[in-house]
Amino acid sequence: MPERHHYSLPFRTFIRRCTLLLVSLLMAVSGSVWAGKLADYWMYDEYYAEHPEQQQASAELIAAVRNESVPVGTPHKKIKIGIIYPSIQYSGYWLRSVRSFALRMDELGINYELQTRYTKPFSEISKQLTQIEQMLEWKPDYLVYTLDSARQRAMVERLIRGTNIKLILQNITTPIKDWGSRQPFMYTGFDHAEGAKRLAQYFRQRMPRGTPYAVLFRNKGLVSEMRGLTFIREIGSYHKLRTSYYANSNREGGYKATLQILKETPNIKYIYACGTDTAIGALDALRETGRQDIIVNGWGGGSEEIQELVNGNLKVVLMRMNDANGISMAEAIKRDLEGKPVPLIFSGDFTILDESMSLDEIKRMESQAFQYSNKDL
């Protein structure tokens, strides 16, 4: 049975009356499992408010990502880049990141060699650590990884404290406060909290006060908590949270958790899904049970979610301007080669797609989001 995110009836009853208390309770129950509490991380705007000296470099990188490529202007030796991603999943986010990164690097005229390693998310952390060790033997100049769990955090700490490698952390835009000035080379991705806020605003506008809903978290980790707890906090008491489950960041987990949700709380009106695989799994369960009355959102806006939106299954999709993450890494490396300052964080843009949009509107946004990764596909 999928793991519930809260446990006893007295707590559940009280939680329904005070959603803000729910947030703190969930943090107490699950926060130690992953990589710390949300307070341990700098939020994007908070970080730049505390470090205004980085704002110019940040603005310059954002402009470079949004504009056409300008080739590198400094001669340089061939550089080596390693990428280790949890990309063996239904979502195409990670593989699109690699493709957009490589194509932008080519346009920039950077002389480089790229090696990639892939795993399943959440369940293959040990394999990721082995891949990092193997990659370090190759001695890359830049290494691209991610951070979502306590074990990943421990490995990243070893890398930034024990090596001179320039580490890029993908899919996280919240620097760890405890690391002080000893930070990775760069954090890049899309602000999970901001995305959750955008979806909370959408559901508050679409659904009336008192609407009952459920939450499908991914695995226990930073990404899941930022997307899920932020949404719960932003919805507040306007809607009524009935239940929530961890879905292990895969389609099967989303399917099983949704079946359990429907068994326990059949009167819910929407399921807030914290990831693509969990959302698609939820749709599988809803189709099987004939519950087409329940709304499910997409989180990320990959081609898989867009197709489900076009087919009328997902009703709303939070779309990342997906290729910006890969472009940002290429442009940051270019700045580094040119001796220009590289901001610690890059956070890409979001947009909302929903069932009211025409196919032409959706395709136009898809073209913008996948400006590189859809080439020759």
Side-chain angles (χ1 to χ4, degrees), residues 92-107:
Y93 173 82
W94 298 100
L95 295 180
R96 286 183 178 277
S97 173
V98 174
R99 184 164 179 78
S100 60
F101 169 71
L103 290 176
R104 187 69 165 206
M105 290 284 283
D106 293 342
E107 285 188 358

Side-chain angles (χ1 to χ4, degrees), residues 9-52:
L9 181 60
F11 273 112
R12 188 169 66 223
T13 303
F14 183 67
I15 285 166
R16 291 175 183 173
R17 298 175 183 174
C18 185
T19 303
L20 293 179
L21 182 59
L22 169 67
V23 175
S24 61
L25 176 62
L26 296 183
M27 290 302 299
V29 170
S30 64
S32 60
V33 176
W34 41 280
K37 301 175 182 177
L38 295 184
D40 295 339
Y41 297 81
W42 290 106
M43 297 299 106
Y44 180 80
D45 292 337
E46 179 188 18
Y47 179 81
Y48 280 115
E50 291 288 330
H51 297 83

Side-chain angles (χ1 to χ4, degrees), residues 180-199:
S181 61
R182 188 71 173 175
Q183 294 284 343
F185 176 70
M186 183 185 184
Y187 297 81
T188 186
F190 301 85
D191 190 311
H192 304 294
E194 177 60 28
K197 290 176 182 178
R198 294 283 295 273
L199 279 171

Side-chain angles (χ1 to χ4, degrees), residues 96 99-100 103 322-323 369-375 377:
R96 286 183 178 277
R99 184 164 179 78
S100 60
L103 290 176
N322 192 98
D323 289 0
F370 305 141
Q371 59 178 300
Y372 285 96
S373 60
N374 263 1
K375 290 182 178 180
L377 293 181

